[in-house]
Structures are given as structure tokens and as C-alpha cells.
Amino acid sequence: MSDTSIIDGPVRILFLSRDPAHVTAQLDGRALDAEQAGPLRDDISTDEITPVPILTHFDQALGRYPYTGFQAEGKRPVGIDAVRLSGINVVVAGKRYGKGSSREHSPMAEKSAGVRLVIAESFERIYRQNADNIGLYTSTDMGLVARLLRGEAIGVDEIVAGRDALAAAVVKAGGLLAFGQAHLRQTAPLDAPEDGAAPPRTLFEKIVRRHLLRTQVTSTDPAVGDGAFVRADWRFVHEYYTGMASHMLHARFGRPLRLVDADRIVVFEDHTSYVEDSPNHVRAGIVPNVWAMCQAQRDFVRDYGLRQHQTLTEAQAALDTGVNVAGISHAMMAEHYALPGQVVAGTDSHTPHSGALGCVAFGVGTTDMANAFVTGAVRLTMPASLRVELEGALPAGITAKDVVLHLLALPEIRAGAGVGKVFEFTGPAVAAMSIDERATLTNMTAELGGLTGIVAPDAETARFLRERRGVDAVIEPWMRSDPGAVYALELRVDCAALEPLVAAPGDPGNGMALSSLAVRPKVDIAYGGSCTAGKREDFDHYHEVLAWAVGRGLRIPEGVTLFLQYGTTAVRDYCVSRGYDRIFDAMGARILQPSCGACANCGPGASTEPSQVTVSAINRNFPGRSGPGSVWLASPPTVVASALAGELVSYAELKARYAR
């Protein structure tokens, strides 16, 4: 590729301003400079770039929709086709652009609308890697804006300056599939044994080195910031990505495809179980599109004989035992597949869920997964690690969710110190946690901005695998970080000092102690579920609070709806076996079968009106993420206590109100 200008014709810039009037003016044809546009929006999520209803498209139709969920001062100034018809080819934004989901639909929508370059002060890892993979240029050089406005030509060499060699090569090749076709046909395990002179390494580094692939374009000893390819023990995908992956692979390579290690690919139908009962999907009139998307996945599974878990109501016997198993993909990976020391790659930003078992689990986009299907190689930029020392013991009623909300509110994390990093959780409080609680920590690494989260496996890991899965796993001596391993940052949390936390609407980083909130918002919807809060121990909390309420004759007040959604069938069966379902029914909770749901605005429990207030145990509350209303994030006990009170309260506060 020659280093000619990356933009053909006149430059049209869209500054994603905090002022919606400035955004509207630009789309109407007015050219602004950086000063006129005013302060840029930070923390623009992929939910805002491409809201959930748009994800049923996986071709050029995406170009009609970029930024249709973008909010500024509570308004949505970008309509359908607005970017495409305006001729915008450069977009400029603030910090942490592309937060949230691993959906490749976002950069694909931008590119399909005519955008050639996105400039931001910083990017989230998955978004930027997805952009690289499809040939959408990105840059953190804000000085390019003035140059473009002066009419200067910007070449691809300038765009990739400062990027790691692999990222630069992928961008210059025009995307990952073209790069993989040229360079990844012959890969092999590195198989480089450690010698006595090896430097101290983190557990993450040890696992990655055991899975490195030897290629012509990557180092055999990658340093932080270097690109690499690894062999994944498991690759998984769900229905919002499979159709797009199938479309792009067949378009490039024809039929049939040769999938590498197809028996190590797992396919999930987990985001569409309640689509016909989803206000978002019904209102948008896209239920037929969703079923077409699901059928595209089923066709791919059929054509290549892949292992699949379908929705609960339709699932076939997915295990040899004939038991009907279903649930949220990354929760299912921890319950059925992932093991200590393995590498797991999935098309979901919450893939790090399985890091609770002591494996390296991280999310990738559609093109990354498509490339991994046909080459067996998963792209990775070697990250630095953060060590999170959870000191002391958690007080009664304080959960891992409170810990994560505390971490998210730290100035270092708010400033982006965790972006692209590995979060290694350790310390006495972690050692005392169950795997379910550790999974909350690693799962929400996505919100912390990290590549993944990991907890060194121990006796609790072995117990979980033995009792939950019937697996006698050996925790090998190498499965821990070495003394002297290098960390970019160490964070310490005095867990004994923690109290119930909530995160105010708009961003998971808006954390605060609930006791500091003088005016308590009234609650319309309380939702307990999702991958983060649909596990057995989460349901122990839901049951504890509701059983306490039953004993005092309390009821969910009129005007409040409590939804409880299981993360997997194993969680559902556990609750039924312990009689929890009887308490849930007595309190009038609406019980939902295992699936993704309100968290991703794809099921009951999402708001339907802007005026509605939700308290939710999910992991993110970006604008529009769970409907048009506002969402407060909280721990499982706080969610149910708030449902009972009709306003935000902790379980301890609720009990104090009814002390006898």
C-alpha cells in the first residue's frame, strides 16, 4: 500500500461535542474547528455508536446507523443516515473512545458510512483492534485535526507511527483477514521451554508464553506493547457475531471453509432468548431480523458441525449426559469448559469472567474470531499488568460488586490507568472469596478498561472444579506470579473499610458510597441477573434479603417490579433445589430463564420510558444500555433491598428501618 493520503477528496470533520447543537450544525453542513466545537465528549461507548437494535445488521446496511445512540446533554443529535448523507469522513472525540462491548458493528458502521479516520485522545483496546482489523484508521494524535483542516494530506505511515509492529502491519495490509491470508497459513507452537535465567513473570505472562505461536511477523519473546499470536484452548462466539463472521469468511475464502480445531469452538445462542418479550426489539420492529441473525448462526453450526448451546426453550441436549444446558456464554465457559492455565477467547467483552479460574480469558471482535477460525491464531498485544491487592476482610453484606464499584471510582482508573492492562487480583480478601465472587472481579475487568482479569488458582479453584464440574484439576506449582514480577501499577484496597456502593447513571465509574447519597432516588425497576450477577452466590444474596422480608410480612411495593434472571441452567437448578423459587414467587418477583437480557437491552427488565429509574446488578450503565431510563448499578443485596424499599437503600439500612 503506497503512502498516499488516506482520505480521498475534501475533508469533512465531525467533532463529537458535548453540545448537541454543535453536532447538529456539523451534520447540517457547517464546518467547525476544534475551538468552535467546544469540549469533546469522553467515554463514548459502543452502545452509543451502535445501539443494540442495529446489531441485527452485519453488512453495509450498518452504514445508516453510526452514532444514533450518541447522547449530549440528554439529547440524541444524530439520526439515521445523518453521517452517511453529510459526507463526514473524519470523526474526533475525547478520552476512552469505544468503551464497553466488543461489538465490531461500531467501527463497521462508521466505515460503511464513509468515515475513514477516527481521532480520539485515547481508545479502548477492543474498539481500536476491531478498527484495525477492518481497515478503519484510528489515531491519538490530536495534532492531525489542525493539519487536516489546513488541507494537508495524511498518509498511512503517519497513522501507524508509534503503533506496535503487528498493528501497523495489519493496518497497512488493509485488515486482519488479508494479513492472515498472507502471513498466518503456517503457524506452529513456539514450544520454548523456560530456562533458569528467565526473569520473574506474572501468571498471565507464563500462560501466554505457553500458548505463543511462531509466525514470520511476530517476536518469539514479545515485550509489553508487542503484537503476538496465541493458540486458544477455547474459542467461543454468540449470535450477534457469527453471521458477520460467516459473511466475511465466505466472501473472502469461498465455501467450504477449513476451520482449525473445530472441536475447540463453542457457539452460543444467549442474547435472543427473550427477543419477542423485549420492549426494545418489539418497539423497533426488528424481531424478524433477530431470527434471521440466529438462523445465520444455526446454518454456520450445521455446515461445520460445531458444538452449540441454543436458547433454553429450544436447546438440544448439549452435553453427553443429555441435560439441557443453556445460559450466558462466558458464564457457561466457566461452568463447563475453561481450566486453569488455559487461554480462552470469545466475542464478548466479558469473556474475562473465566479468569476467576486462573486462565487467560479475553474478548475479541468479529474479524479476530473469524481469523482465528481459519488460522487457529488469536491476535494479542502484550499488555502490562496491574496488581490489585485486596487487603483485610470484607464486612458482612459487602460483595465483590462493591469492590469493583470502588475500583472503578478510583482516580487512577477514571484517568485510564487500566486501559488494555491485565488486572491480577490477589490478597486475603480474594483468597477468602468463592469462585462466583472472583468471577465478578474478573468479569468487570471490561468496565475497568482492562484486557482481562485473573486470579491465581488455589484450593478454592480445585474445589469449584471438583464439586461443580466433576473435574479433578491439578493446580501446578508454576500457576502463580513470581516474586519480583513487574507491574505497571499496584492498587491496594482496605476491604474492611468498604461499605455498600452504587454507581450513578451514565457510567460504571460514577461510584459512590450509598451512605453519601442524601436524596435517595425512587425506584421503578429492580433487576438482578446478567453474567455479573446471575451466579449461585448472587442468588444466595437475593434469597437472603427476600426471605428476611417474608419473615416480616414485607412486600414489593406497588409500582416497583423486581426481575430475577438466572445466568445459567445450573444456577436455576441450584435455586430450585434449595427452594429459593418459592420465596421468589411469594414476593412477586418475575423470574426469567437463563440468558442475557435487560443488561444488553434485549429482554424484560429494561426500561421503556426515560422517566423510569432502575437499580441493577448488571455491569454497565452507559446511556441507553438498558433502555431509555436511568440505571443505578449496585450489588445483589442492595438491588433487592431497594426493590423492597422502593428507593435506593442497602440491606443494612433496610434492616435498621424494621429493627425490633
Side-chain angles (χ1 to χ4, degrees):
M1 182 183 294
S2 62
D3 198 35
T4 56
S5 177
I6 62 170
I7 298 173
D8 299 323
V11 172
R12 289 290 317 281
I13 297 179
L14 172 62
F15 293 94
L16 291 174
S17 170
R18 298 180 195 173
D19 187 333
H22 290 164
V23 175
T24 300
Q26 294 172 89
L27 294 172
D28 287 343
R30 182 182 173 193
L32 302 180
D33 59 28
E35 184 175 351
Q36 292 168 328
L40 298 168
R41 256 288 313 275
D42 294 328
D43 300 312
I44 296 173
S45 71
T46 51
D47 288 275
E48 293 182 83
I49 302 171
T50 45
V52 168
I54 292 151
L55 305 189
T56 58
H57 300 286
F58 46 83
D59 53 22
Q60 292 300 309
L62 284 165
R64 302 188 64 201
Y65 302 103
Y67 313 118
T68 49
F70 171 79
Q71 292 195 29
E73 296 181 355
K75 298 180 180 178
R76 296 189 178 189
V78 184
I80 296 172
D81 287 323
V83 175
R84 184 174 62 86
L85 295 178
S86 68
I88 296 293
N89 48 26
V90 178
V91 172
V92 184
K95 300 180 179 68
R96 293 192 68 177
Y97 185 84
K99 292 177 70 168
S101 167
S102 59
R103 62 188 71 167
E104 195 166 305
H105 304 70
S106 293
M108 185 69 78
E110 292 167 310
K111 183 180 180 184
S112 298
V115 176
R116 294 289 291 157
L117 171 64
V118 178
I119 303 171
E121 293 179 55
S122 61
F123 291 95
E124 289 291 289
R125 177 194 66 85
I126 295 181
Y127 170 87
R128 196 174 199 190
Q129 188 160 308
N130 286 343
D132 292 347
N133 289 343
I134 65 169
L136 175 66
Y137 298 114
T138 64
S139 178
T140 57
D141 181 359
M142 302 302 286
L144 293 180
V145 175
R147 293 179 56 194
L148 287 165
L149 289 171
R150 290 196 298 267
E152 294 185 31
I154 307 297
V156 69
D157 284 339
E158 287 190 79
I159 293 298
V160 300
R163 303 291 304 278
D164 71 84
L166 178 56
V170 168
V171 171
K172 297 183 83 167
L176 184 62
L177 290 182
F179 176 89
Q181 193 172 20
H183 298 288
L184 297 178
R185 290 188 176 277
Q186 300 296 325
T187 63
L190 189 58
D191 289 333
E194 293 279 37
D195 57 38
R201 301 190 194 281
T202 65
L203 174 58
F204 173 88
E205 291 168 335
K206 292 179 181 181
I207 295 173
V208 167
R209 288 185 65 82
R210 288 168 178 260
H211 289 77
L212 277 176
L213 291 172
R214 186 186 302 276
T215 77
Q216 299 175 337
V217 290
T218 54
S219 169
T220 58
D221 186 21
V224 171
D226 288 346
F229 287 98
V230 296
R231 170 187 58 82
D233 297 279
W234 297 103
R235 290 156 289 161
F236 74 86
V237 64
H238 64 67
E239 67 268 52
Y240 273 104
Y241 296 86
T242 310
M244 181 185 286
S246 173
H247 176 77
M248 61 177 59
L249 285 173
H250 289 130
R252 177 169 288 274
F253 301 115
R255 296 174 181 267
L257 301 168
R258 186 184 73 85
L259 303 185
V260 175
D261 295 331
D263 60 333
R264 309 295 285 184
I265 297 171
V266 189
V267 183
F268 294 94
E269 195 170 285
D270 65 346
H271 280 62
T272 51
S273 302
Y274 280 95
V275 65
E276 292 182 340
D277 198 13
S278 166
N280 177 46
H281 290 78
V282 172
R283 184 172 56 248
I286 59 171
V287 173
N289 292 6
V290 171
W291 292 131
M293 179 184 72
C294 290
Q295 189 59 51
Q297 171 165 285
R298 295 177 186 182
D299 291 345
F300 189 74
V301 167
R302 179 202 63 216
D303 292 346
Y304 296 102
L306 301 178
R307 183 190 322 234
Q308 182 181 31
H309 296 272
Q310 287 189 0
T311 59
L312 181 68
T313 54
E314 301 180 63
Q316 304 300 314
L319 297 180
D320 293 340
T321 59
V323 175
N324 180 26
V325 293
I328 303 170
S329 55
H330 27 290
M332 291 283 288
M333 291 304 297
E335 284 192 358
H336 296 281
Y337 299 104
L339 290 170
Q342 291 188 335
V343 169
V344 177
T347 54
D348 198 288
S349 58
H350 291 110
T351 299
H353 190 103
S354 293
L357 296 175
C359 63
V360 167
F362 58 95
V364 300
T366 309
T367 303
D368 272 308
M369 187 57 69
N371 177 69
F373 282 168
V374 295
T375 67
V378 179
R379 180 184 168 197
L380 174 71
T381 300
M382 284 298 290
S385 291
L386 301 184
R387 190 170 187 269
V388 182
E389 180 85 18
L390 300 185
E391 300 174 329
L394 290 173
I398 304 303
T399 71
K401 182 63 169 289
D402 297 297
V403 175
V404 177
L405 292 179
H406 171 80
L407 291 170
L408 280 160
L410 292 177
E412 300 95 324
I413 298 301
R414 293 283 287 171
V419 173
K421 306 290 197 309
V422 175
F423 282 74
E424 181 179 317
F425 297 98
T426 187
V430 176
M433 286 181 180
S434 66
I435 296 300
D436 280 357
E437 284 287 85
R438 294 177 188 182
T440 297
L441 299 178
T442 59
N443 177 292
M444 290 193 65
T445 301
E447 283 65 50
L448 292 164
L451 167 74
T452 192
I454 193 167
V455 178
D458 57 12
E460 168 60 16
T461 314
R463 184 203 63 79
F464 174 92
L465 292 169
R466 182 176 61 254
E467 295 180 6
R468 295 276 190 97
R469 291 171 47 179
V471 173
D472 288 322
V474 177
I475 309 302
E476 299 181 33
W478 67 267
M479 294 179 177
R480 59 179 58 87
S481 294
D482 296 328
V486 176
Y487 297 91
L489 179 67
E490 296 195 28
L491 299 174
R492 296 182 181 275
V493 178
D494 178 6
C495 290
L498 292 179
E499 55 182 293
L501 278 87
V502 293
D507 193 275
N510 295 336
M512 65 187 73
L514 182 50
S515 63
S516 70
L517 196 61
V519 178
R520 303 298 177 89
K522 299 296 183 182
V523 168
D524 301 293
I525 299 169
Y527 178 85
S530 81
C531 53
T532 309
K535 307 180 296 299
R536 288 189 188 188
E537 192 156 332
D538 302 313
F539 273 83
D540 289 340
H541 287 300
Y542 301 138
H543 174 262
E544 177 187 354
V545 180
L546 290 174
W548 171 88
V550 167
R552 282 150 185 80
L554 301 182
R555 299 287 298 176
I556 304 295
E558 196 73 30
V560 178
T561 306
L562 171 62
F563 296 87
L564 297 176
Q565 185 161 26
Y566 303 114
T568 68
T569 48
V571 175
R572 179 203 62 190
D573 296 345
Y574 165 82
C575 292
V576 171
S577 71
R578 295 176 71 90
Y580 290 0
D581 57 319
R582 294 193 295 272
I583 293 292
F584 298 157
D585 183 64
M587 293 302 294
R590 179 173 177 188
I591 303 301
L592 300 170
Q593 292 297 324
S595 175
C596 284
C599 174
N601 207 7
C602 58
S607 62
T608 56
E609 301 293 336
S611 61
Q612 290 177 311
V613 175
T614 299
V615 58
S616 183
I618 63 177
N619 37 42
R620 51 181 62 143
N621 58 346
F622 301 133
R625 169 78 183 182
S626 296
S630 57
V631 177
W632 290 80
L633 299 183
S635 70
T638 298
V639 165
V640 178
S642 299
L644 289 162
E647 64 181 20
L648 277 185
V649 298
S650 70
Y651 182 29
E653 289 173 331
L654 183 66
K655 286 192 291 187
R657 293 183 183 184
Y658 292 91
R660 293 177 180 174

